[in-house]
Amino acid sequence: QVQLVESGGGSVQSGGSLRLSCAASRYTYSNACMGWFRQAPGKEREGVAIINKMNGATFYADAVQGRFTISRDNAKNTVFLQMNSLKPEDTAMYYCAQGCTLPDLTTSNIRGRGTQVTVSS
């Protein structure tokens, strides 16, 4: 059964940090690439970060480059998103999904239900 479950969201002040986790079923985790996308109210989905679980290669959207770090623990079928120096414009629902490009993430049918991140100024 395909399953992705996000956790770790919450409310922080500007400049704060959060760490999101995405636990995947064994079948879902077998896909080579996973990542995170976000969607704020009234806005389109935005790909945030991708990781190749085999070689650890990563790719980030310009808006989060240098502030967010994606990583994985293959033994636990889990992908993480460490978010530092958070800004109010990072406020969104964050989703974990399968995909090897940022656009792929936003259109993936394999995604979790999301975790809310709220950053106050």
Side-chain angles (χ1 to χ4, degrees):
Q1 181 178 356
V2 174
Q3 187 175 17
L4 295 170
V5 180
E6 302 95 338
S7 62
S11 297
V12 296
Q13 290 190 329
S14 182
S17 298
L18 284 172
R19 188 189 196 211
L20 307 184
S21 298
C22 173
S25 65
R26 186 171 171 182
Y27 171 78
T28 305
Y29 201 75
S30 63
N31 185 277
C33 309
M34 289 182 65
W36 296 86
F37 71 90
R38 64 189 182 185
Q39 187 167 25
K43 295 188 177 181
E44 295 186 353
R45 294 177 182 176
E46 177 188 20
V48 172
I50 298 167
I51 188 164
N52 182 309
K53 300 192 304 295
M54 300 301 107
N55 62 22
T58 59
F59 185 81
Y60 299 93
D62 289 345
V64 306
Q65 180 75 48
R67 300 187 298 121
F68 291 11
T69 302
I70 189 170
S71 61
R72 89 288 194 201
D73 184 335
N74 289 344
K76 296 182 179 180
N77 295 348
T78 302
V79 173
F80 305 97
L81 186 68
Q82 177 68 44
M83 305 185 296
N84 298 328
S85 302
L86 283 162
K87 305 174 182 180
E89 50 263 44
D90 294 317
T91 295
M93 186 72 81
Y94 283 72
Y95 299 86
C96 176
Q98 285 187 352
C100 291
T101 68
L102 295 182
D104 282 350
L105 291 177
T106 64
T107 59
S108 177
N109 290 323
I110 309 301
R111 61 180 183 268
R113 295 185 176 183
T115 185
Q116 178 67 39
V117 172
T118 303
V119 185
S120 58
S121 58

